[in-house]
Amino acid sequence: MVESDRIDALIAAVPAALALRAGLDLGIFTLLGDSAATADSLGAALEVEPGRLSRLLYALASIGLLDVEDGRFRNGAEASAFLDASKPTYRGGDHALLRELWGADLLTAESLRQNRPAALHDFAEAGPEAAAAFSRMLAPGGVMFGRHLARAMDLSAIGSVIDIGGGPGTILVGLRERWPRIAVTLMELPTVAAVAPDILAEYGAGDVVVEAGDITVAPSVGRHDLAILKAVVQVLPPDQARRAILNAARCLTPGGEIAIAGQGVVDDDRLGPPEGVFLNLTFLNLYRHGESYTEGQYRAWMTEAGFRDIARSRLADGSTVFRGRLP
């Protein structure tokens, strides 16, 4: 007899995930830190009604993110390690972005019916206010990704890094926490490049060189030892994705390295990993042409650009990284 266990589990996972997001939005895990608190004290700190807040607190406790004893709540082991923003292992930096992505996911059927993205996001056409708002939303996650990449790569011999299409450029902030002597450049579309300096200054990184440009059209005006492309290739149509990697290679010095990262990557059979498969659906709602490209496509484009020793790895935040080196 066929059971509905898989379907039931999928449906049941949605409310739990949304409770997690609400906890991140309110900053509950960071507020708790290593202490315990009642719904009354948390409600006062968050300026929300304690009785209503307690519903969320008990929901988070029911899924193991909080522990509760005698009406006092504290972070569970995973929440303490990964959801407290004061910890270097924090995984919730993208929760504002997650709100946007999950909202878009609800429109997949509509995007298919209309044959167009129902929640279209166009970086090139964004106005100054929209570019600033979206860049600020990306900024905390950029710092966290930079920290993860800094731990995964030995940059002791790297003198100059360019972050291509890095939004506010805060990847470079996280990177330099571990490798402070590296010279850093952000290359972004003009609308984003215009707002990036103010955001970088807020992170104490006013010395980042910000260069306006389009990597699908031309390389950077400078040459660097390492080029980072985070979540860039996956938002482009195939011809532009190919050109972006070709031009990124032209930004590098001889022997230079590239790190192409994102969660929009799928295996050649297109059945995994799950984050790449389902982000591919999200792309239907956000971009006219972006998609989760296969490992084979990435390797082909990188090989054409002249990269050797191409390797695929996974960072602690779940991002896939393709690395390669020029001769």
Side-chain angles (χ1 to χ4, degrees), residues 253-290:
T253 57
E257 297 181 66
I258 194 169
I260 305 175
Q263 296 192 337
V265 178
V266 290
D267 301 329
D268 289 336
D269 63 6
R270 298 185 181 274
L271 295 176
E275 60 270 17
V277 172
F278 290 101
L279 194 57
N280 216 6
L281 289 181
T282 306
F283 291 157
L284 282 177
N285 306 309
L286 294 175
Y287 307 118
R288 294 186 179 93
H289 304 290

Coordinates of all heavy atoms in Angstrom, one line a residue, residues 253-290:
T253 N 46.1 38.0 -13.5 CA 47.5 37.9 -13.8 C 47.9 36.5 -14.2 O 47.1 35.5 -13.9 CB 48.4 38.3 -12.6 OG1 48.0 37.4 -11.5 CG2 48.1 39.7 -12.2
P254 N 49.0 36.2 -14.9 CA 49.4 34.9 -15.2 C 49.5 34.0 -13.9 O 50.0 34.5 -12.9 CB 50.8 35.0 -15.8 CG 50.8 36.4 -16.4 CD 49.9 37.2 -15.5
G255 N 48.9 32.8 -13.9 CA 48.9 32.0 -12.7 C 47.7 32.4 -11.8 O 47.6 31.8 -10.7
G256 N 46.9 33.4 -12.2 CA 45.8 33.8 -11.3 C 44.7 32.8 -11.2 O 44.6 31.9 -12.0
E257 N 44.0 32.9 -10.1 CA 42.9 32.0 -9.8 C 41.5 32.6 -9.9 O 41.3 33.8 -9.8 CB 43.1 31.5 -8.3 CG 44.4 30.8 -8.0 CD 44.4 30.3 -6.6 OE1 43.6 29.5 -6.2 OE2 45.3 30.9 -5.8
I258 N 40.5 31.7 -10.1 CA 39.1 32.1 -10.1 C 38.4 31.3 -9.1 O 38.7 30.1 -8.9 CB 38.5 32.0 -11.5 CG1 37.2 32.8 -11.6 CG2 38.4 30.5 -11.9 CD1 36.7 32.9 -13.0
A259 N 37.4 31.9 -8.5 CA 36.4 31.1 -7.6 C 35.0 31.6 -8.0 O 34.6 32.7 -7.8 CB 36.7 31.5 -6.1
I260 N 34.3 30.6 -8.6 CA 32.9 30.9 -9.0 C 32.0 30.1 -8.1 O 32.1 28.9 -7.9 CB 32.7 30.4 -10.5 CG1 33.7 31.0 -11.4 CG2 31.3 30.7 -10.9 CD1 33.6 30.4 -12.8
A261 N 31.2 30.9 -7.4 CA 30.4 30.3 -6.3 C 28.9 30.6 -6.4 O 28.5 31.6 -7.1 CB 31.0 30.8 -4.9
G262 N 28.1 29.8 -5.8 CA 26.7 30.0 -5.7 C 26.0 28.7 -5.4 O 26.6 27.7 -5.4
Q263 N 24.7 28.8 -5.1 CA 24.0 27.6 -4.8 C 23.2 27.2 -6.1 O 22.6 26.2 -6.1 CB 23.0 27.9 -3.6 CG 23.8 28.1 -2.3 CD 22.9 28.0 -1.1 OE1 21.7 28.2 -1.2 NE2 23.5 27.8 0.0
G264 N 23.3 28.0 -7.1 CA 22.6 27.7 -8.4 C 23.5 26.8 -9.2 O 23.8 27.2 -10.4
V265 N 23.8 25.6 -8.7 CA 24.6 24.6 -9.5 C 23.9 23.3 -9.3 O 23.5 22.9 -8.2 CB 26.1 24.5 -8.9 CG1 26.9 23.5 -9.7 CG2 26.7 25.9 -9.0
V266 N 23.8 22.5 -10.4 CA 23.3 21.2 -10.3 C 24.2 20.2 -10.9 O 25.1 20.5 -11.7 CB 21.9 21.1 -11.0 CG1 20.8 21.9 -10.3 CG2 22.0 21.6 -12.5
D267 N 24.1 18.9 -10.5 CA 24.9 17.8 -11.0 C 24.4 17.6 -12.5 O 23.4 18.1 -12.9 CB 24.6 16.6 -10.3 CG 25.0 16.7 -8.8 OD1 25.9 17.5 -8.5 OD2 24.4 16.0 -7.9
D268 N 25.2 16.9 -13.2 CA 24.9 16.7 -14.7 C 23.6 16.0 -14.9 O 23.0 16.2 -16.0 CB 26.1 16.0 -15.4 CG 27.3 16.9 -15.5 OD1 27.2 18.2 -15.4 OD2 28.4 16.4 -15.6
D269 N 23.1 15.2 -13.9 CA 21.8 14.6 -14.1 C 20.7 15.5 -13.7 O 19.5 15.1 -13.8 CB 21.8 13.2 -13.4 CG 21.9 13.4 -11.8 OD1 21.9 14.6 -11.4 OD2 22.0 12.4 -11.2
R270 N 21.0 16.6 -13.2 CA 20.0 17.7 -12.8 C 19.1 17.3 -11.6 O 18.1 17.9 -11.4 CB 19.1 18.1 -14.0 CG 20.0 18.8 -15.1 CD 19.1 19.3 -16.2 NE 19.9 19.9 -17.3 CZ 20.4 21.1 -17.3 NH1 20.1 21.9 -16.3 NH2 21.1 21.6 -18.3
L271 N 19.5 16.2 -10.9 CA 18.7 15.7 -9.8 C 19.2 16.2 -8.4 O 18.6 16.0 -7.4 CB 18.6 14.2 -9.8 CG 17.9 13.6 -11.0 CD1 18.0 12.1 -10.9 CD2 16.4 14.0 -11.0
G272 N 20.3 16.8 -8.3 CA 20.9 17.3 -7.1 C 22.0 18.3 -7.4 O 22.4 18.5 -8.5
P273 N 22.5 18.9 -6.3 CA 22.0 18.9 -4.9 C 20.7 19.6 -4.8 O 20.4 20.5 -5.7 CB 23.2 19.6 -4.2 CG 23.8 20.5 -5.2 CD 23.7 19.8 -6.5
P274 N 20.0 19.4 -3.7 CA 18.6 20.0 -3.6 C 18.6 21.5 -3.7 O 17.7 22.0 -4.3 CB 18.2 19.5 -2.2 CG 18.9 18.2 -1.9 CD 20.3 18.5 -2.6
E275 N 19.6 22.2 -3.1 CA 19.5 23.6 -3.1 C 19.6 24.1 -4.5 O 19.0 25.1 -4.9 CB 20.6 24.2 -2.2 CG 22.0 23.9 -2.6 CD 22.5 22.6 -1.9 OE1 21.7 21.8 -1.4 OE2 23.8 22.4 -1.9
G276 N 20.4 23.5 -5.4 CA 20.5 23.9 -6.8 C 19.3 23.6 -7.6 O 18.8 24.4 -8.4
V277 N 18.7 22.4 -7.3 CA 17.5 22.0 -8.1 C 16.3 23.0 -7.8 O 15.6 23.4 -8.7 CB 17.1 20.6 -7.7 CG1 15.8 20.2 -8.3 CG2 18.2 19.6 -8.2
F278 N 16.2 23.3 -6.5 CA 15.0 24.1 -6.1 C 15.3 25.6 -6.3 O 14.3 26.4 -6.6 CB 14.6 23.8 -4.7 CG 13.9 22.4 -4.6 CD1 14.7 21.4 -4.1 CD2 12.7 22.2 -5.1 CE1 14.1 20.1 -4.0 CE2 12.1 20.9 -5.0 CZ 12.8 19.9 -4.5
L279 N 16.5 26.0 -6.3 CA 16.8 27.4 -6.6 C 16.5 27.6 -8.1 O 16.2 28.7 -8.5 CB 18.3 27.7 -6.3 CG 18.7 29.2 -6.3 CD1 17.8 30.0 -5.4 CD2 20.1 29.4 -6.0
N280 N 16.7 26.6 -8.9 CA 16.4 26.7 -10.3 C 14.9 27.1 -10.5 O 14.6 27.8 -11.5 CB 16.7 25.3 -11.0 CG 17.2 25.5 -12.4 OD1 17.5 26.6 -12.9 ND2 17.4 24.4 -13.1
L281 N 14.0 26.6 -9.7 CA 12.6 27.0 -9.7 C 12.5 28.5 -9.3 O 11.7 29.2 -9.9 CB 11.8 26.1 -8.8 CG 11.5 24.7 -9.3 CD1 10.6 24.0 -8.3 CD2 10.9 24.6 -10.6
T282 N 13.2 28.9 -8.3 CA 13.1 30.3 -7.8 C 13.5 31.2 -9.0 O 12.9 32.3 -9.2 CB 14.1 30.5 -6.6 OG1 13.7 29.6 -5.6 CG2 13.9 31.9 -6.1
F283 N 14.6 30.8 -9.7 CA 15.0 31.6 -10.9 C 13.9 31.9 -11.9 O 13.9 32.9 -12.5 CB 16.2 31.0 -11.5 CG 17.5 31.0 -10.7 CD1 18.5 30.0 -11.0 CD2 17.7 31.9 -9.7 CE1 19.6 30.0 -10.2 CE2 18.8 31.9 -9.0 CZ 19.8 30.9 -9.2
L284 N 13.0 30.9 -12.1 CA 11.9 31.1 -13.0 C 11.1 32.3 -12.7 O 10.6 33.0 -13.5 CB 11.0 29.9 -12.9 CG 11.3 28.6 -13.6 CD1 10.2 27.5 -13.4 CD2 11.5 28.8 -15.1
N285 N 11.0 32.6 -11.4 CA 10.2 33.7 -10.9 C 10.9 35.1 -10.8 O 10.3 36.1 -10.8 CB 9.6 33.4 -9.5 CG 8.9 32.1 -9.5 OD1 8.1 31.8 -10.3 ND2 9.3 31.2 -8.5
L286 N 12.3 35.0 -10.9 CA 13.1 36.2 -10.7 C 13.7 36.8 -11.9 O 13.9 38.0 -12.1 CB 14.1 36.0 -9.6 CG 13.6 35.7 -8.2 CD1 14.8 35.4 -7.3 CD2 12.9 37.0 -7.6
Y287 N 14.2 35.8 -12.8 CA 15.1 36.2 -13.9 C 14.5 35.7 -15.2 O 13.9 34.6 -15.3 CB 16.5 35.7 -13.7 CG 17.1 36.1 -12.4 CD1 17.4 35.1 -11.4 CD2 17.3 37.4 -12.0 CE1 18.0 35.4 -10.2 CE2 17.8 37.7 -10.8 CZ 18.1 36.8 -9.9 OH 18.7 37.1 -8.7
R288 N 14.8 36.5 -16.3 CA 14.3 36.1 -17.6 C 15.1 34.9 -18.1 O 14.6 34.0 -18.8 CB 14.4 37.2 -18.6 CG 13.5 38.4 -18.3 CD 13.6 39.5 -19.4 NE 12.7 40.6 -19.1 CZ 13.1 41.7 -18.5 NH1 14.4 41.9 -18.0 NH2 12.3 42.7 -18.3
H289 N 16.4 34.8 -17.7 CA 17.2 33.8 -18.3 C 18.0 33.0 -17.3 O 18.6 31.9 -17.7 CB 18.2 34.4 -19.4 CG 17.5 35.2 -20.4 ND1 16.7 34.6 -21.4 CD2 17.4 36.5 -20.6 CE1 16.2 35.5 -22.2 NE2 16.6 36.7 -21.8
G290 N 18.2 33.4 -16.1 CA 19.1 32.8 -15.2 C 18.6 31.3 -14.8 O 17.4 31.0 -14.9

